[in-house]
Structures are given as structure tokens and as C-alpha cells.
Amino acid sequence: MNFDPTEDQRRWRDLARDFAQNEIRPRAAELDREQKFPYDIVADMADLGLLGLTLPEEYGGSGGNFVAYNLALEEISRADTSVGITMEAHISLGCAPILAYGTPEQKERYLPRCATGENLWAFGLTEEGAGTDAGGTKTTARLEDGHWVIDGSKKWITNSGTDITGGVTVIARTGTRENGKPELTAIIVPQETPGYTRGPGYEKLGWRAADQHPLYFEDCRVPEENLLGERGRGFSQFLATLDAGRVAVAALSVGLAQACFDEALARAKEREQFGRAISGFQAIQFKLSDMAMEIELARNMVLKAAWLRDTGRSFGREASMAKVFASEAAKRAADEAVQIWGGEGFMETSAVARYWRQVKINEIGEGTSEINRQIIARSFLTETPQEAKQHLITP
Ligand SMILES: Cc1cc2nc3c(=O)[nH]c(=O)nc-3n(C[C@H](O)[C@H](O)[C@H](O)COP(=O)(O)OP(=O)(O)OC[C@H]3O[C@@H](n4cnc5c(N)ncnc54)[C@H](O)[C@@H]3O)c2cc1C
């Protein structure tokens, strides 16, 4: 077994680390405080090839593999998870489904602009009544005169309302199956389509420099050829999309956990009480040891799941395992980092206070811990991960 990254993987990790530590980390507190979307950082990341990291070179992408992407994403998120989720949602949720299911024309039209950072792309699944249970999708799309006519709304959609957003891939109900379950279909909606509007952004606990909006569709018409993949395949498409997304959210969690450890270690070495650095106390050492162990384990789980995907093997269960463990390890790391910082950690002047606010979403977005535990359990009890997920949809 070889734990060494390849030269290419190492290059992406180091490039992301350099950029993140020099250009993102010093501005993370300000971006969070001002809730500003960092257009200049995103443009620089695009220039470095990070926004098209997993896209093939024929579409202007960097041609990196999934392990390389997760290594880079960890580094970006170590500096700021707002920027991390912008990159993750663009690559894993925005670009990946178009690459996987798009026609040659769709790929030609949308992917080069996504690879160069001219556009960000969004993925709209969640609605008021459809969170964990996508079967509750109420947004409809019907075919009329060679157009899909979309009506309904979505909520919390990442990257949907920036000045450079190119559009959203929306999951809509296009009918009802014989078994009574909804027929869900993915449809591409360019940003300036009449009848498609966005509401204002949200006041959030974390990811405050990232972009999320509610989306509204009212008699919104797009050409029939904007169908992504086959009609009625939307459910299996977003399950596959979310599998890969979960690995990436786990990588994002590892980056944040590492940032917590970095801050905790620095403070433990510097802060003196009882005439010595608090790192000399065993109670603090054990906290740091536990954080380091869990980060090591979470990172290995991310890389194993990513490697399985790169080698074309099934990785759904490992993706769920990595997501649950890494997000919860990051939460414990954030908590202990604040504890090691003491009262200073309760102050918004500390980075760990920000990390403590930011960490919670990782247990919720792209599949909650509860639902991922269900996927894991079903995979060894009675069903394959794919079958288990099929049962998560209600008629
Ligand atoms: C900042 C942010 C960004 C987001 N970005 C996007 C995006 O870009 N695109 C997109 O489509 N969505 C996005 N989401 C939505 C996100 O994926 C959902 O929040 C998530 O899937 C959970 O849905 P929910 O919040 O409605 O929770 P709910 O489904 O209402 O769940 C509430 C609680 O009930 C539990 N629960 C639900 N069903 C079960 C069950 N069967 N068994 C046990 N427990 C259960 C859940 O685990 C959770 O603890 C975003 C959300 C946020 C907050």
C-alpha cells in the first residue's frame, strides 16, 4: 500500500495551501464579518486552475483527479470554509452533473466558462417541503411547445446569486411513476431566463462569505434540450452527485478541523498560566492528541473514499462514513479549540470563535449525519447503499 500522493496530487495540495495561507486566511475574519462574497479570490483561484480542477482539459479544465481535488479543497477550507464551500458547490454540485450527464453540446456550452471562472454554477434540489426527503419536491416542469415550463421554488442554493453565476441545474417533478413516487428530472436553467428570480441572501451562522439564495420559478421556460440526462433520472443523478459531494464536504471538514488544531496548538504553546505554557499540562496535551488523531483518521477516510472513486469502485458507503466522521470530528475539534483558548476563544476577535460557528453546517449540508448513518447501517444490514438511498424517498 502506498500512502504517498502522486506528483500531480502533491502539486495541487501545495498550490492550494500556498494560495490559501497567503491570500485567503489573512482575510477570512473580515470576509466573515462583512459577509462579502470574495470575487477577487474566486478569480485568482480560477486563474490557478482550482475552479476547474476536476474538469477535463478539453473543456478548459485542469484534468486533476478526485483525490487531488479533495487535497486542494482541504487546504482552501483550512483557510476559510466560506471559500471552501464556494469551490465545493461549484465543482461537486454545479459542474460534476453537467460533466457526467450532459450532452456534448451542453458540455461545450457550459463547462469551459465554469472552468475558467467566468461562471459559477449552482445545483437546486432543496425546497421548503423537500429537505432530506426529496420526494417532497413540489417544483414542477411540464413540456409545452418544445419548452420545459418550470414553476416552484428552491431554498438555500449555494452560488446561485453571484454576479458571475451562469445558472442552476434544478430538480423538478415532471410526473408521477406507476408506483406513485414522483418522477424527478434535472433541467438546466441559465441565469437570465425570464421567470427565474432569486430572493435576498440569508443571515447565517457560518459560510457568511458564501452565496446562498431562495430561487423562484414562475412560468419559467427553457428549451426542451436543457434536459440534463434522461427524463425521470433526476433522483439517481442527484444521489450520485451527493455521494461525491459528501466526500468533498468531509474534506472541507478536515480542513476546518486542521485549522482548529493549528490555532489550539499555537495558543497552547504561547499562553502561560501557573508560570508555564498551558501545553505543559497533560489535560491540554490530551485534547491536542485527540484532535490530531481524529484529524488523521478523518483525512484517511476522505482519501480512501476519493481513491475508491478515482479507481472506478463503489464508494457510497465510504463517502457517508467520511462525511459523518469528519464533520463530527471537526465539531469536536472546534469545541476543544475554544476550550484551549479559554475566554479569548469566546471573543469574536479569535479565529476559533468563527470556526465554532462555522463547523455546524458540515453535519447538515449534502445529507445530515442521521441520514448518512442510515445509509451506512442499511448497507450492511440488508441493502446496498444504492438500494438504501432509494428507500429514503417517500411517495
Ligand atoms: C448554508 C446552506 C447551503 C445549502 N446549499 C444547498 C445547495 O446548494 N443545493 C441544495 O439543493 N441544497 C442546499 N442546502 C440544503 C441542505 O442540503 C439541506 O439543509 C439538507 O439536505 C437537510 O435538509 P433540511 O435542512 O430541510 O433538514 P430536514 O430534512 O428538515 O431534517 C431535519 C432533521 O430531521 C432529521 N431527519 C429527516 N429525515 C429523517 C429520517 N428519515 N430519519 C432520521 N432523521 C431524519 C435530519 O437528519 C435533521 O436532523 C443548503 C443548506 C444550507 C443551510
Side-chain angles (χ1 to χ4, degrees), residues 89 93 123-127 130-133 155-158 204 207 212 361 364-371 374 392:
L93 302 182
F123 178 77
L125 170 64
T126 305
E127 300 185 2
T132 303
D133 178 14
K155 73 194 280 199
W156 302 326
I157 306 306
T158 303
K204 292 164 288 184
W207 288 356
Q212 279 92 16
I361 185 62
I364 298 170
E366 295 189 40
T368 62
S369 286
E370 289 78 9
I371 233 57
Q374 211 162 307
L392 294 177

PDB file of all heavy atoms in Angstrom, residues 89 93 123-127 130-133 155-158 204 207 212 361 364-371 374 392, ligand 1:
ATOM      1  N   ALA A  89     -19.245  23.609  -3.948  1.00  0.00           N
ATOM      2  CA  ALA A  89     -20.569  23.606  -4.589  1.00  0.00           C
ATOM      3  C   ALA A  89     -20.424  23.796  -6.103  1.00  0.00           C
ATOM      4  O   ALA A  89     -21.162  23.190  -6.888  1.00  0.00           O
ATOM      5  CB  ALA A  89     -21.445  24.706  -3.995  1.00  0.00           C
ATOM      6  N   LEU A  93     -21.294  20.102  -7.091  1.00  0.00           N
ATOM      7  CA  LEU A  93     -22.737  20.175  -7.337  1.00  0.00           C
ATOM      8  C   LEU A  93     -23.054  20.841  -8.674  1.00  0.00           C
ATOM      9  O   LEU A  93     -24.007  20.461  -9.343  1.00  0.00           O
ATOM     10  CB  LEU A  93     -23.429  20.953  -6.208  1.00  0.00           C
ATOM     11  CG  LEU A  93     -23.237  20.411  -4.788  1.00  0.00           C
ATOM     12  CD1 LEU A  93     -24.017  21.250  -3.781  1.00  0.00           C
ATOM     13  CD2 LEU A  93     -23.671  18.954  -4.698  1.00  0.00           C
ATOM     14  N   PHE A 123     -26.647  24.160  -7.975  1.00  0.00           N
ATOM     15  CA  PHE A 123     -27.434  22.929  -8.049  1.00  0.00           C
ATOM     16  C   PHE A 123     -28.613  23.067  -7.095  1.00  0.00           C
ATOM     17  O   PHE A 123     -28.423  23.216  -5.877  1.00  0.00           O
ATOM     18  CB  PHE A 123     -26.538  21.754  -7.644  1.00  0.00           C
ATOM     19  CG  PHE A 123     -27.213  20.411  -7.616  1.00  0.00           C
ATOM     20  CD1 PHE A 123     -27.470  19.740  -8.805  1.00  0.00           C
ATOM     21  CD2 PHE A 123     -27.569  19.808  -6.420  1.00  0.00           C
ATOM     22  CE1 PHE A 123     -28.081  18.490  -8.785  1.00  0.00           C
ATOM     23  CE2 PHE A 123     -28.165  18.555  -6.396  1.00  0.00           C
ATOM     24  CZ  PHE A 123     -28.431  17.897  -7.581  1.00  0.00           C
ATOM     25  N   GLY A 124     -29.829  23.050  -7.623  1.00  0.00           N
ATOM     26  CA  GLY A 124     -31.002  23.333  -6.793  1.00  0.00           C
ATOM     27  C   GLY A 124     -31.885  22.130  -6.581  1.00  0.00           C
ATOM     28  O   GLY A 124     -32.656  21.743  -7.477  1.00  0.00           O
ATOM     29  N   LEU A 125     -31.767  21.541  -5.413  1.00  0.00           N
ATOM     30  CA  LEU A 125     -32.593  20.395  -5.042  1.00  0.00           C
ATOM     31  C   LEU A 125     -33.546  20.765  -3.904  1.00  0.00           C
ATOM     32  O   LEU A 125     -34.746  20.532  -3.970  1.00  0.00           O
ATOM     33  CB  LEU A 125     -31.663  19.238  -4.612  1.00  0.00           C
ATOM     34  CG  LEU A 125     -32.298  18.015  -3.972  1.00  0.00           C
ATOM     35  CD1 LEU A 125     -33.214  17.319  -4.959  1.00  0.00           C
ATOM     36  CD2 LEU A 125     -31.216  17.033  -3.504  1.00  0.00           C
ATOM     37  N   THR A 126     -33.009  21.397  -2.846  1.00  0.00           N
ATOM     38  CA  THR A 126     -33.767  21.611  -1.612  1.00  0.00           C
ATOM     39  C   THR A 126     -34.904  22.617  -1.792  1.00  0.00           C
ATOM     40  O   THR A 126     -34.752  23.630  -2.470  1.00  0.00           O
ATOM     41  CB  THR A 126     -32.803  22.115  -0.514  1.00  0.00           C
ATOM     42  OG1 THR A 126     -31.746  21.168  -0.398  1.00  0.00           O
ATOM     43  CG2 THR A 126     -33.504  22.264   0.815  1.00  0.00           C
ATOM     44  N   GLU A 127     -36.029  22.302  -1.172  1.00  0.00           N
ATOM     45  CA  GLU A 127     -37.207  23.186  -1.174  1.00  0.00           C
ATOM     46  C   GLU A 127     -37.764  23.269   0.229  1.00  0.00           C
ATOM     47  O   GLU A 127     -37.342  22.527   1.113  1.00  0.00           O
ATOM     48  CB  GLU A 127     -38.307  22.594  -2.063  1.00  0.00           C
ATOM     49  CG  GLU A 127     -37.928  22.396  -3.484  1.00  0.00           C
ATOM     50  CD  GLU A 127     -39.098  21.911  -4.335  1.00  0.00           C
ATOM     51  OE1 GLU A 127     -40.226  21.771  -3.793  1.00  0.00           O
ATOM     52  OE2 GLU A 127     -38.868  21.689  -5.529  1.00  0.00           O
ATOM     53  N   ALA A 130     -39.028  19.897   0.951  1.00  0.00           N
ATOM     54  CA  ALA A 130     -38.157  18.809   0.475  1.00  0.00           C
ATOM     55  C   ALA A 130     -36.720  19.078   0.902  1.00  0.00           C
ATOM     56  O   ALA A 130     -35.961  19.748   0.208  1.00  0.00           O
ATOM     57  CB  ALA A 130     -38.249  18.693  -1.048  1.00  0.00           C
ATOM     58  N   GLY A 131     -36.375  18.602   2.089  1.00  0.00           N
ATOM     59  CA  GLY A 131     -35.003  18.714   2.582  1.00  0.00           C
ATOM     60  C   GLY A 131     -34.356  17.359   2.430  1.00  0.00           C
ATOM     61  O   GLY A 131     -33.951  16.960   1.320  1.00  0.00           O
ATOM     62  N   THR A 132     -34.322  16.607   3.523  1.00  0.00           N
ATOM     63  CA  THR A 132     -33.795  15.239   3.465  1.00  0.00           C
ATOM     64  C   THR A 132     -34.626  14.393   2.505  1.00  0.00           C
ATOM     65  O   THR A 132     -34.095  13.545   1.782  1.00  0.00           O
ATOM     66  CB  THR A 132     -33.834  14.630   4.884  1.00  0.00           C
ATOM     67  OG1 THR A 132     -33.092  15.484   5.759  1.00  0.00           O
ATOM     68  CG2 THR A 132     -33.254  13.239   4.894  1.00  0.00           C
ATOM     69  N   ASP A 133     -35.915  14.639   2.498  1.00  0.00           N
ATOM     70  CA  ASP A 133     -36.836  13.846   1.680  1.00  0.00           C
ATOM     71  C   ASP A 133     -37.136  14.557   0.367  1.00  0.00           C
ATOM     72  O   ASP A 133     -38.054  15.365   0.275  1.00  0.00           O
ATOM     73  CB  ASP A 133     -38.131  13.620   2.479  1.00  0.00           C
ATOM     74  CG  ASP A 133     -39.161  12.850   1.679  1.00  0.00           C
ATOM     75  OD1 ASP A 133     -38.787  12.273   0.636  1.00  0.00           O
ATOM     76  OD2 ASP A 133     -40.327  12.835   2.100  1.00  0.00           O
ATOM     77  N   LYS A 155     -34.659  26.518  -1.996  1.00  0.00           N
ATOM     78  CA  LYS A 155     -34.101  27.366  -0.921  1.00  0.00           C
ATOM     79  C   LYS A 155     -32.646  27.008  -0.622  1.00  0.00           C
ATOM     80  O   LYS A 155     -32.238  25.877  -0.835  1.00  0.00           O
ATOM     81  CB  LYS A 155     -34.972  27.297   0.333  1.00  0.00           C
ATOM     82  CG  LYS A 155     -34.879  26.006   1.113  1.00  0.00           C
ATOM     83  CD  LYS A 155     -36.010  25.885   2.118  1.00  0.00           C
ATOM     84  CE  LYS A 155     -35.762  26.667   3.383  1.00  0.00           C
ATOM     85  NZ  LYS A 155     -36.646  26.181   4.495  1.00  0.00           N
ATOM     86  N   TRP A 156     -31.919  28.015  -0.110  1.00  0.00           N
ATOM     87  CA  TRP A 156     -30.533  27.863   0.351  1.00  0.00           C
ATOM     88  C   TRP A 156     -29.579  27.416  -0.754  1.00  0.00           C
ATOM     89  O   TRP A 156     -28.629  26.663  -0.490  1.00  0.00           O
ATOM     90  CB  TRP A 156     -30.440  26.841   1.497  1.00  0.00           C
ATOM     91  CG  TRP A 156     -31.266  27.153   2.689  1.00  0.00           C
ATOM     92  CD1 TRP A 156     -31.546  28.374   3.187  1.00  0.00           C
ATOM     93  CD2 TRP A 156     -31.888  26.200   3.578  1.00  0.00           C
ATOM     94  NE1 TRP A 156     -32.301  28.246   4.330  1.00  0.00           N
ATOM     95  CE2 TRP A 156     -32.524  26.935   4.585  1.00  0.00           C
ATOM     96  CE3 TRP A 156     -31.946  24.796   3.603  1.00  0.00           C
ATOM     97  CZ2 TRP A 156     -33.228  26.328   5.622  1.00  0.00           C
ATOM     98  CZ3 TRP A 156     -32.644  24.189   4.630  1.00  0.00           C
ATOM     99  CH2 TRP A 156     -33.286  24.939   5.623  1.00  0.00           C
ATOM    100  N   ILE A 157     -29.780  27.826  -1.983  1.00  0.00           N
ATOM    101  CA  ILE A 157     -28.971  27.265  -3.075  1.00  0.00           C
ATOM    102  C   ILE A 157     -27.645  28.037  -3.204  1.00  0.00           C
ATOM    103  O   ILE A 157     -27.630  29.236  -3.489  1.00  0.00           O
ATOM    104  CB  ILE A 157     -29.764  27.248  -4.394  1.00  0.00           C
ATOM    105  CG1 ILE A 157     -31.102  26.510  -4.183  1.00  0.00           C
ATOM    106  CG2 ILE A 157     -28.940  26.596  -5.509  1.00  0.00           C
ATOM    107  CD1 ILE A 157     -31.001  25.104  -3.594  1.00  0.00           C
ATOM    108  N   THR A 158     -26.555  27.299  -3.024  1.00  0.00           N
ATOM    109  CA  THR A 158     -25.210  27.881  -2.993  1.00  0.00           C
ATOM    110  C   THR A 158     -24.769  28.321  -4.386  1.00  0.00           C
ATOM    111  O   THR A 158     -25.001  27.610  -5.371  1.00  0.00           O
ATOM    112  CB  THR A 158     -24.219  26.845  -2.408  1.00  0.00           C
ATOM    113  OG1 THR A 158     -24.694  26.469  -1.110  1.00  0.00           O
ATOM    114  CG2 THR A 158     -22.822  27.417  -2.285  1.00  0.00           C
ATOM    115  N   LYS A 204     -26.586  34.079   8.218  1.00  0.00           N
ATOM    116  CA  LYS A 204     -26.182  32.711   8.553  1.00  0.00           C
ATOM    117  C   LYS A 204     -25.209  32.663   9.727  1.00  0.00           C
ATOM    118  O   LYS A 204     -24.493  33.622   9.996  1.00  0.00           O
ATOM    119  CB  LYS A 204     -25.505  32.068   7.330  1.00  0.00           C
ATOM    120  CG  LYS A 204     -26.413  31.803   6.170  1.00  0.00           C
ATOM    121  CD  LYS A 204     -25.619  31.533   4.892  1.00  0.00           C
ATOM    122  CE  LYS A 204     -24.969  32.791   4.362  1.00  0.00           C
ATOM    123  NZ  LYS A 204     -24.267  32.634   3.109  1.00  0.00           N
ATOM    124  N   TRP A 207     -20.372  30.226   6.952  1.00  0.00           N
ATOM    125  CA  TRP A 207     -20.371  30.367   5.488  1.00  0.00           C
ATOM    126  C   TRP A 207     -20.917  31.749   5.100  1.00  0.00           C
ATOM    127  O   TRP A 207     -21.646  31.905   4.122  1.00  0.00           O
ATOM    128  CB  TRP A 207     -21.224  29.279   4.817  1.00  0.00           C
ATOM    129  CG  TRP A 207     -20.642  27.910   4.839  1.00  0.00           C
ATOM    130  CD1 TRP A 207     -19.424  27.538   5.319  1.00  0.00           C
ATOM    131  CD2 TRP A 207     -21.269  26.706   4.352  1.00  0.00           C
ATOM    132  NE1 TRP A 207     -19.254  26.179   5.157  1.00  0.00           N
ATOM    133  CE2 TRP A 207     -20.365  25.650   4.578  1.00  0.00           C
ATOM    134  CE3 TRP A 207     -22.506  26.428   3.757  1.00  0.00           C
ATOM    135  CZ2 TRP A 207     -20.654  24.337   4.237  1.00  0.00           C
ATOM    136  CZ3 TRP A 207     -22.792  25.115   3.411  1.00  0.00           C
ATOM    137  CH2 TRP A 207     -21.872  24.090   3.644  1.00  0.00           C
ATOM    138  N   GLN A 212     -25.814  32.159  -0.850  1.00  0.00           N
ATOM    139  CA  GLN A 212     -26.996  31.281  -0.893  1.00  0.00           C
ATOM    140  C   GLN A 212     -28.261  32.126  -1.032  1.00  0.00           C
ATOM    141  O   GLN A 212     -28.366  33.175  -0.384  1.00  0.00           O
ATOM    142  CB  GLN A 212     -27.123  30.449   0.399  1.00  0.00           C
ATOM    143  CG  GLN A 212     -26.240  29.219   0.451  1.00  0.00           C
ATOM    144  CD  GLN A 212     -24.898  29.482   1.099  1.00  0.00           C
ATOM    145  OE1 GLN A 212     -24.722  30.496   1.768  1.00  0.00           O
ATOM    146  NE2 GLN A 212     -23.963  28.572   0.906  1.00  0.00           N
ATOM    147  N   ILE A 361     -22.638  23.443  10.148  1.00  0.00           N
ATOM    148  CA  ILE A 361     -23.308  23.166   8.872  1.00  0.00           C
ATOM    149  C   ILE A 361     -22.802  21.869   8.210  1.00  0.00           C
ATOM    150  O   ILE A 361     -23.517  21.215   7.459  1.00  0.00           O
ATOM    151  CB  ILE A 361     -23.166  24.372   7.902  1.00  0.00           C
ATOM    152  CG1 ILE A 361     -23.958  24.159   6.602  1.00  0.00           C
ATOM    153  CG2 ILE A 361     -21.720  24.680   7.603  1.00  0.00           C
ATOM    154  CD1 ILE A 361     -25.429  24.024   6.793  1.00  0.00           C
ATOM    155  N   ILE A 364     -24.944  18.983   8.395  1.00  0.00           N
ATOM    156  CA  ILE A 364     -26.303  19.153   7.835  1.00  0.00           C
ATOM    157  C   ILE A 364     -26.291  19.115   6.301  1.00  0.00           C
ATOM    158  O   ILE A 364     -27.047  18.363   5.686  1.00  0.00           O
ATOM    159  CB  ILE A 364     -26.912  20.488   8.336  1.00  0.00           C
ATOM    160  CG1 ILE A 364     -27.045  20.462   9.871  1.00  0.00           C
ATOM    161  CG2 ILE A 364     -28.266  20.755   7.678  1.00  0.00           C
ATOM    162  CD1 ILE A 364     -27.408  21.795  10.498  1.00  0.00           C
ATOM    163  N   GLY A 365     -25.428  19.930   5.695  1.00  0.00           N
ATOM    164  CA  GLY A 365     -25.438  20.078   4.229  1.00  0.00           C
ATOM    165  C   GLY A 365     -25.044  18.799   3.503  1.00  0.00           C
ATOM    166  O   GLY A 365     -24.236  18.021   3.989  1.00  0.00           O
ATOM    167  N   GLU A 366     -25.637  18.582   2.352  1.00  0.00           N
ATOM    168  CA  GLU A 366     -25.382  17.419   1.480  1.00  0.00           C
ATOM    169  C   GLU A 366     -25.615  16.097   2.214  1.00  0.00           C
ATOM    170  O   GLU A 366     -24.835  15.148   2.075  1.00  0.00           O
ATOM    171  CB  GLU A 366     -23.990  17.523   0.846  1.00  0.00           C
ATOM    172  CG  GLU A 366     -23.942  18.736  -0.075  1.00  0.00           C
ATOM    173  CD  GLU A 366     -22.703  18.848  -0.918  1.00  0.00           C
ATOM    174  OE1 GLU A 366     -22.226  17.828  -1.427  1.00  0.00           O
ATOM    175  OE2 GLU A 366     -22.214  19.989  -1.076  1.00  0.00           O
ATOM    176  N   GLY A 367     -26.667  16.067   3.006  1.00  0.00           N
ATOM    177  CA  GLY A 367     -27.049  14.847   3.742  1.00  0.00           C
ATOM    178  C   GLY A 367     -26.661  14.962   5.196  1.00  0.00           C
ATOM    179  O   GLY A 367     -25.479  15.074   5.517  1.00  0.00           O
ATOM    180  N   THR A 368     -27.665  14.942   6.063  1.00  0.00           N
ATOM    181  CA  THR A 368     -27.389  15.092   7.502  1.00  0.00           C
ATOM    182  C   THR A 368     -26.673  13.855   8.046  1.00  0.00           C
ATOM    183  O   THR A 368     -26.670  12.788   7.411  1.00  0.00           O
ATOM    184  CB  THR A 368     -28.709  15.270   8.274  1.00  0.00           C
ATOM    185  OG1 THR A 368     -29.499  14.084   8.092  1.00  0.00           O
ATOM    186  CG2 THR A 368     -29.481  16.484   7.795  1.00  0.00           C
ATOM    187  N   SER A 369     -26.117  13.993   9.236  1.00  0.00           N
ATOM    188  CA  SER A 369     -25.459  12.843   9.873  1.00  0.00           C
ATOM    189  C   SER A 369     -26.454  11.698  10.065  1.00  0.00           C
ATOM    190  O   SER A 369     -26.108  10.524   9.890  1.00  0.00           O
ATOM    191  CB  SER A 369     -24.898  13.240  11.252  1.00  0.00           C
ATOM    192  OG  SER A 369     -23.745  14.028  11.095  1.00  0.00           O
ATOM    193  N   GLU A 370     -27.702  12.043  10.399  1.00  0.00           N
ATOM    194  CA  GLU A 370     -28.701  10.996  10.638  1.00  0.00           C
ATOM    195  C   GLU A 370     -28.918  10.162   9.373  1.00  0.00           C
ATOM    196  O   GLU A 370     -28.939   8.937   9.407  1.00  0.00           O
ATOM    197  CB  GLU A 370     -30.049  11.626  11.068  1.00  0.00           C
ATOM    198  CG  GLU A 370     -30.055  12.227  12.463  1.00  0.00           C
ATOM    199  CD  GLU A 370     -29.384  13.601  12.528  1.00  0.00           C
ATOM    200  OE1 GLU A 370     -29.063  14.169  11.461  1.00  0.00           O
ATOM    201  OE2 GLU A 370     -29.170  14.111  13.640  1.00  0.00           O
ATOM    202  N   ILE A 371     -29.061  10.856   8.252  1.00  0.00           N
ATOM    203  CA  ILE A 371     -29.378  10.138   7.022  1.00  0.00           C
ATOM    204  C   ILE A 371     -28.142   9.361   6.537  1.00  0.00           C
ATOM    205  O   ILE A 371     -28.258   8.259   6.006  1.00  0.00           O
ATOM    206  CB  ILE A 371     -29.966  11.123   5.974  1.00  0.00           C
ATOM    207  CG1 ILE A 371     -31.283  10.602   5.472  1.00  0.00           C
ATOM    208  CG2 ILE A 371     -29.059  11.401   4.832  1.00  0.00           C
ATOM    209  CD1 ILE A 371     -32.310  10.346   6.520  1.00  0.00           C
ATOM    210  N   GLN A 374     -27.960   6.230   8.445  1.00  0.00           N
ATOM    211  CA  GLN A 374     -28.954   5.288   7.931  1.00  0.00           C
ATOM    212  C   GLN A 374     -28.420   4.577   6.685  1.00  0.00           C
ATOM    213  O   GLN A 374     -28.600   3.376   6.525  1.00  0.00           O
ATOM    214  CB  GLN A 374     -30.204   6.094   7.584  1.00  0.00           C
ATOM    215  CG  GLN A 374     -31.486   5.345   7.739  1.00  0.00           C
ATOM    216  CD  GLN A 374     -32.639   6.339   7.810  1.00  0.00           C
ATOM    217  OE1 GLN A 374     -32.631   7.256   8.612  1.00  0.00           O
ATOM    218  NE2 GLN A 374     -33.615   6.173   6.955  1.00  0.00           N
ATOM    219  N   LEU A 392     -35.137   6.151   0.822  1.00  0.00           N
ATOM    220  CA  LEU A 392     -35.224   7.409   1.559  1.00  0.00           C
ATOM    221  C   LEU A 392     -36.210   8.373   0.900  1.00  0.00           C
ATOM    222  O   LEU A 392     -36.455   9.449   1.385  1.00  0.00           O
ATOM    223  CB  LEU A 392     -33.842   8.069   1.652  1.00  0.00           C
ATOM    224  CG  LEU A 392     -32.849   7.267   2.484  1.00  0.00           C
ATOM    225  CD1 LEU A 392     -31.495   7.954   2.455  1.00  0.00           C
ATOM    226  CD2 LEU A 392     -33.323   7.130   3.918  1.00  0.00           C
TER     227      LEU A 392
HETATM  228  C1  LIG B   1     -25.938  27.118   4.004  1.00  0.00           C
HETATM  229  C2  LIG B   1     -26.633  26.040   3.251  1.00  0.00           C
HETATM  230  C3  LIG B   1     -26.296  25.781   1.926  1.00  0.00           C
HETATM  231  C4  LIG B   1     -27.001  24.814   1.192  1.00  0.00           C
HETATM  232  N1  LIG B   1     -26.726  24.631  -0.133  1.00  0.00           N
HETATM  233  C5  LIG B   1     -27.542  23.843  -0.880  1.00  0.00           C
HETATM  234  C6  LIG B   1     -27.402  23.747  -2.311  1.00  0.00           C
HETATM  235  O1  LIG B   1     -26.508  24.360  -2.911  1.00  0.00           O
HETATM  236  N2  LIG B   1     -28.291  22.991  -3.001  1.00  0.00           N
HETATM  237  C7  LIG B   1     -29.291  22.291  -2.404  1.00  0.00           C
HETATM  238  O2  LIG B   1     -30.094  21.641  -3.092  1.00  0.00           O
HETATM  239  N3  LIG B   1     -29.430  22.320  -1.037  1.00  0.00           N
HETATM  240  C8  LIG B   1     -28.607  23.083  -0.276  1.00  0.00           C
HETATM  241  N4  LIG B   1     -28.749  23.130   1.092  1.00  0.00           N
HETATM  242  C9  LIG B   1     -29.757  22.303   1.723  1.00  0.00           C
HETATM  243  C10 LIG B   1     -29.183  21.145   2.543  1.00  0.00           C
HETATM  244  O3  LIG B   1     -28.683  20.146   1.700  1.00  0.00           O
HETATM  245  C11 LIG B   1     -30.302  20.663   3.487  1.00  0.00           C
HETATM  246  O4  LIG B   1     -30.341  21.594   4.548  1.00  0.00           O
HETATM  247  C12 LIG B   1     -30.107  19.263   3.995  1.00  0.00           C
HETATM  248  O5  LIG B   1     -30.262  18.330   2.972  1.00  0.00           O
HETATM  249  C13 LIG B   1     -31.099  18.908   5.114  1.00  0.00           C
HETATM  250  O6  LIG B   1     -32.399  19.265   4.815  1.00  0.00           O
HETATM  251  P1  LIG B   1     -33.221  20.175   5.846  1.00  0.00           P
HETATM  252  O7  LIG B   1     -32.334  21.271   6.291  1.00  0.00           O
HETATM  253  O8  LIG B   1     -34.507  20.543   5.225  1.00  0.00           O
HETATM  254  O9  LIG B   1     -33.450  19.261   7.112  1.00  0.00           O
HETATM  255  P2  LIG B   1     -34.697  18.270   7.368  1.00  0.00           P
HETATM  256  O10 LIG B   1     -34.811  17.292   6.254  1.00  0.00           O
HETATM  257  O11 LIG B   1     -35.897  19.059   7.727  1.00  0.00           O
HETATM  258  O12 LIG B   1     -34.192  17.488   8.655  1.00  0.00           O
HETATM  259  C14 LIG B   1     -34.326  17.987   9.976  1.00  0.00           C
HETATM  260  C15 LIG B   1     -33.803  16.927  10.941  1.00  0.00           C
HETATM  261  O13 LIG B   1     -34.558  15.705  10.799  1.00  0.00           O
HETATM  262  C16 LIG B   1     -33.684  14.637  10.505  1.00  0.00           C
HETATM  263  N5  LIG B   1     -34.343  13.667   9.621  1.00  0.00           N
HETATM  264  C17 LIG B   1     -35.021  13.907   8.465  1.00  0.00           C
HETATM  265  N6  LIG B   1     -35.457  12.760   7.930  1.00  0.00           N
HETATM  266  C18 LIG B   1     -35.026  11.768   8.742  1.00  0.00           C
HETATM  267  C19 LIG B   1     -35.130  10.341   8.724  1.00  0.00           C
HETATM  268  N7  LIG B   1     -35.766   9.689   7.732  1.00  0.00           N
HETATM  269  N8  LIG B   1     -34.558   9.642   9.729  1.00  0.00           N
HETATM  270  C20 LIG B   1     -33.905  10.287  10.731  1.00  0.00           C
HETATM  271  N9  LIG B   1     -33.763  11.620  10.802  1.00  0.00           N
HETATM  272  C21 LIG B   1     -34.318  12.347   9.823  1.00  0.00           C
HETATM  273  C22 LIG B   1     -32.480  15.266   9.842  1.00  0.00           C
HETATM  274  O14 LIG B   1     -31.342  14.418   9.924  1.00  0.00           O
HETATM  275  C23 LIG B   1     -32.344  16.547  10.648  1.00  0.00           C
HETATM  276  O15 LIG B   1     -31.665  16.291  11.835  1.00  0.00           O
HETATM  277  C24 LIG B   1     -28.024  24.062   1.829  1.00  0.00           C
HETATM  278  C25 LIG B   1     -28.327  24.292   3.172  1.00  0.00           C
HETATM  279  C26 LIG B   1     -27.666  25.278   3.880  1.00  0.00           C
HETATM  280  C27 LIG B   1     -28.092  25.547   5.303  1.00  0.00           C
END
